[in-house]
Amino acid sequence: MSSLWWPLFWPPVLAAMLALLVWPLFGPVVALELFAVFLLVLLLHHAVNLRALANWLLAPPGAEVPDGSGAWREVFNVIYQSGRVQSSSQHHLSAALERFQRAAEAIPDGIFMLNEDGQIEWCNPVAETQFDVSNQRDHLQRIAYLVRQAQFTDYLSAQNYAEPLVMKSLRNPDLTLSIQLVPFGDRQKLLLSRDITQLERVETMRRDFIANVSHELRTPLTVVGGFLESFEDAEQINMEQSRRHFQLMLDQTRRMQGLVDDLLTLSRLESNQEKMSEEVVDVCALLQILHKEALSLSDGRHRLNLELDADCKLLGNVRDLHSAFGNLVSNAVRYTPEGGEIVLRWALKGAEARFCVQDSGIGIEPQYISRLTERFYRVDRGRSRETGGTGLGLSIVKHILTRHQGRLEISSEPGKGSLFCACFPARRVIEAG
Ligand code: ADP
């Protein structure tokens, strides 16, 4: 403001100096009159500029700052400059606020900003969907009124927010949310909600899996342990009886071995790190081997036919395909009573190649079919165990087919038999020639 002094100062000083010069020539009256006129003009000039300032102050925001003259030019210039600084910082502030809002909207978790009374000041679109509220409609509504779940209101009022609250959404019971309240600023709160449905599902699967594996291992271990204890307590060993016991222990040990082998195969298939090595697989040759294996497994109890209706090959992993096809064949043998018929068929259907196993076995009720590829799922637990099943075979088949972009088709009729087909897309098929 120091630059303002000079334009304010010089007009009256100049007028006083002029009056002093005129004084000796025309006398004091003329000199004082001249000085008075000059002061009047100066006053008028200030009044006009003051009026321009008042008009500008009363005008709507954004009106142009007047130009002014003399000392007022400098005043208006200062006003104009500070207005520009203010509007630029306002612009920056609103740009930053908009950026923050967009970032908060992009966060995959729900966010509520609550005031000290628990009223919603703002929420992002994820929070709107998870809690079925609206940022606009429910502005300043108490969140406890909108989400009327006892667990939730208890959590809000407990004042202990160290641990998140895990709860099922009342509006959508398939949705599990983890809710965390974070106090901030002047008694305000952030309420964060995360969809942990998938995490919960994986955790349940993990728990079920451990329970299933423990259950599967416990029976054979109990049998083996029981026999070993009876040997320990026996004073004399009866060789004939011992041989039978050894045979039973061997069966149980093989069962555990089978389970561990299947678990390792599943774990290898499920860990995506290992990239599947691929080669051109001569399916006809592979099926000749499988046919022989099936004959030995059946031990003459079934009629077993191999039908090679196609001579195409497959691009895939021979070890995995052997394992998948072997599981389908062994199931057919195990679930087909003596005297039944089993057909292994390799054929083309449209552009797809299919390996099908048809049996005249016990069949499956339609309501169970969609669950057959779940780990440890069995229709008849007793029969599966008796025949050395682990409940993991079809799960392994499904994984292997998925890795080959294929699929498993199942059709069955109870008491009549089943048809299991492994179908492969055209891009995996290599025509003979
Ligand atoms: P398991 O080791 O018990 O055979 P799988 O995963 O191979 O396990 O099969 C799951 C269940 O599907 C079996 O327990 C059985 O109930 C049913 N299943 C599979 N294949 C056949 C079939 N060919 N005929 C009848 N039921 C079958």
Side-chain angles (χ1 to χ4, degrees), residues 50-174:
L50 211 59
R51 188 180 161 73
L53 176 64
N55 284 344
W56 177 76
L57 285 174
L58 293 173
E64 209 173 310
V65 181
D67 272 344
S69 54
W72 285 94
R73 182 186 296 275
E74 195 57 34
V75 171
F76 287 130
N77 199 21
V78 169
I79 292 175
Y80 174 74
Q81 292 301 341
S82 76
R84 270 179 60 126
V85 169
Q86 202 179 349
S87 87
S88 128
S89 70
Q90 226 166 33
H91 179 76
H92 275 109
L93 214 67
S94 56
L97 197 70
E98 201 181 303
R99 267 205 310 277
F100 166 77
Q101 216 162 31
R102 265 201 246 123
E105 279 170 10
I107 290 174
D109 294 342
I111 306 174
F112 282 99
M113 220 181 249
L114 305 176
N115 64 15
E116 59 182 298
D117 296 323
Q119 292 167 316
I120 301 172
E121 287 190 335
W122 177 85
C123 69
N124 71 351
V126 179
E128 289 186 311
T129 325
Q130 285 176 346
F131 290 87
D132 196 15
V133 295
S134 154
N135 188 25
Q136 291 198 331
R137 187 191 61 220
D138 299 317
H139 183 67
L140 289 184
Q141 285 281 342
R142 276 178 198 276
I143 191 156
Y145 290 163
L146 297 173
V147 185
R148 288 176 174 272
Q149 270 174 268
Q151 280 175 288
F152 182 73
T153 41
D154 288 352
Y155 177 73
L156 288 189
S157 52
Q159 303 289 332
N160 176 10
Y161 311 124
E163 290 293 319
L165 164 73
V166 174
M167 67 171 210
K168 290 237 176 261
S169 161
L170 256 195
R171 293 196 165 100
N172 176 6
D174 289 339

Side-chain angles (χ1 to χ4, degrees), residues 8 23 27 38 47 155 162 175 210 217 234 236 252 266 293 316 333 351 426:
L8 266 178
W23 194 307
F38 191 87
Y155 177 73
L175 186 70
I210 292 174
L217 286 174
Q236 265 193 334
Q252 296 302 331
L266 255 186
E293 287 174 0
V333 173

Side-chain angles (χ1 to χ4, degrees), residues 331 334-335 359 364 372 377-379 384 389-391 393-394 420:
N331 278 355
R334 287 167 44 234
Y335 296 107
D359 65 56
I364 307 153
L372 295 183
Y377 186 81
R378 288 132 154 167
V379 179
S384 162
T390 60
L394 290 181
F420 285 77

